[in-house]
Amino acid sequence: MDSQFTIVLPDSGVLAQICGTNDRNLQLIENHLGVPVFTRGNELSLETEDVNIREQFKFIIDRIVDEISDSGESGTDMVVSILNAGDSNSFNSRENFISIPGGKSRIYPKTRNQAELISAFRKSELVFACGPAGSGKTFLAVAEALRLLLSHKVSKIILTRPIVEAGESLGFLPGDLQEKVNPYLRPLYDSMNACIAHDIMHRLTENGIIETAPLAYMRGRSLNNCVVILDEAQNTTVEQMKMFLTRMGENSRVFITGDITQTDLPKRTPSGLLHALKVLADIPEISIINLDETDVVRSELVRKIVQAYQNEQECQ
């Protein structure tokens, strides 16, 4: 077996972006792999017969090239996030990214917890994803739901959330049910628009393949052959959560997302999400993934805000 493994890049400019300023990115990659990486023209190569290291090397470079192609970003922070999101056993796994048929681009985890969340989506019918704003829980749930739908693994996506707002009930809002609910589910639509073309999303919505409904409208339904995303689950009551969980039917996947630090329920009303996490913790078929401030990728400022509030709560 030839010990040299070479990756040919589109041009020397891409190679320069991968290497980074003063080859800083290249040094990070070398430290992670534990072997030196050589450059020549538009080629990257290393000397090893270890198949695992070769696969990691190819996956890392492919990811960096994708990021450069999608956003033009090639900074050290991006490379660090790629290296932190995987390990020697998962870099080449199909569970390490989400590829949506007809989607805008592959979706990769930015942190190790996000990688665990993607893996949980693949192995469990019911997944709880808990974490602060910007940690990627809702975006990844939407992306995986679209992958399942557009791969014809399910026939429908249902988006729901509890309607908990101060001073205004759903019935007093203008428009039909769809128009009343849509503002509450805007974050989910934004995530979908980031994953697939707007015309595809519009067609799926118009045809009822992507359905939206308030949580209260789930009562009495059996949800078969679909993916259901319950967002803002921290605002469910215990009774609502039990009702929702018992709607699961044949070939259904349920992704529940929430931030237990931002509950809008009335005082002394226990959160259905917190209750469910305790009651269901010992069921092995259910995955519970906890993200934290280290998983916030929305912006560095949001990460600092989340950390500041977390520190303040711990001091109380």
Side-chain angles (χ1 to χ4, degrees):
M1 180 179 182
D2 188 354
S3 63
Q4 182 168 305
F5 182 75
T6 300
I7 297 174
V8 180
L9 300 165
D11 55 60
S12 57
V14 173
L15 176 64
Q17 287 183 282
I18 291 174
C19 293
T21 304
N22 297 324
D23 287 342
R24 176 57 179 154
N25 294 346
L26 197 62
Q27 292 168 14
L28 291 171
I29 296 169
E30 289 178 328
N31 291 339
H32 183 87
L33 296 174
V35 295
V37 178
F38 306 99
T39 64
R40 187 178 70 175
N42 63 331
E43 296 180 353
L44 285 167
S45 63
L46 47 73
E47 296 277 348
T48 182
E49 295 183 0
D50 189 319
V51 175
N52 186 49
I53 292 177
R54 289 183 174 207
E55 290 177 345
Q56 287 191 45
F57 179 51
K58 185 178 187 307
F59 187 88
I60 291 167
I61 300 305
D62 285 348
R63 275 208 57 183
I64 295 174
V65 170
D66 282 348
E67 291 283 354
I68 292 171
S69 176
D70 290 343
S71 64
E73 181 185 359
S74 60
T76 299
D77 288 345
M78 179 267 288
V79 174
V80 169
S81 72
I82 289 173
L83 299 178
N84 286 342
D87 57 38
S88 59
N89 296 318
S90 67
F91 258 112
N92 202 42
S93 169
R94 67 178 180 84
E95 296 183 348
N96 205 261
F97 60 86
I98 300 173
S99 182
I100 303 169
K104 295 180 178 179
S105 63
R106 283 181 173 182
I107 295 164
Y108 295 99
K110 301 291 187 182
T111 67
R112 192 174 297 274
N113 285 337
Q114 288 187 2
E116 290 184 5
L117 180 57
I118 292 175
S119 180
F121 288 146
R122 305 292 165 80
K123 72 178 183 181
S124 301
E125 295 179 9
L126 174 58
V127 179
F128 288 87
C130 302
S135 58
K137 58 188 185 297
T138 300
F139 177 75
L140 292 176
V142 166
E144 177 64 10
L146 287 169
R147 184 191 72 84
L148 291 168
L149 177 68
L150 296 174
S151 300
H152 307 292
K153 302 290 175 54
V154 298
S155 61
K156 191 170 191 175
I157 294 175
I158 300 174
L159 309 175
T160 187
R161 59 159 284 180
I163 306 299
V164 180
E165 295 294 337
E168 190 164 23
S169 66
L170 192 63
F172 289 101
L173 295 177
D176 59 19
L177 177 63
Q178 192 78 14
E179 292 170 328
K180 293 173 187 286
V181 175
N182 281 352
Y184 293 92
L185 296 171
R186 188 73 255 170
L188 295 169
Y189 285 125
D190 290 343
S191 294
M192 286 190 173
N193 277 320
C195 295
I196 59 175
H198 178 74
D199 62 323
I200 297 176
M201 179 180 160
H202 179 73
R203 184 172 70 252
L204 294 172
T205 304
E206 286 291 302
N207 293 336
I209 297 172
I210 296 176
E211 175 190 344
T212 58
L215 181 59
Y217 285 69
M218 295 291 103
R219 189 176 300 277
R221 298 183 64 176
S222 292
L223 305 174
N224 299 313
N225 198 33
C226 63
V227 181
V228 189
I229 299 177
L230 170 58
D231 196 34
E232 299 290 341
Q234 74 274 6
N235 289 327
T236 60
T237 64
V238 172
E239 294 76 14
Q240 285 176 327
M241 180 62 79
K242 180 181 177 182
M243 176 275 293
F244 173 76
L245 291 173
T246 54
R247 300 306 95 203
M248 290 182 65
E250 292 294 323
N251 192 38
S252 64
R253 297 290 188 92
V254 175
F255 304 152
I256 298 175
T257 64
D259 179 359
I260 58 176
T261 69
Q262 296 193 30
T263 301
D264 298 319
L265 291 166
K267 290 182 178 180
R268 293 183 293 277
T269 300
S271 167
L273 175 59
L274 276 172
H275 181 262
L277 293 174
K278 295 175 183 177
V279 171
L280 306 177
D282 295 328
I283 300 179
E285 294 84 359
I286 297 174
S287 290
I288 299 173
I289 305 297
N290 293 300
L291 301 102
D292 55 35
E293 66 276 0
T294 64
D295 300 297
V296 175
V297 295
R298 184 171 293 167
S299 77
E300 185 60 30
L301 180 57
V302 171
R303 187 199 302 268
K304 291 178 180 179
I305 291 170
V306 171
Q307 182 63 63
Y309 274 94
Q310 180 68 31
N311 293 341
E312 192 269 341
Q313 288 178 344
E314 292 174 355
C315 291
Q316 288 181 348

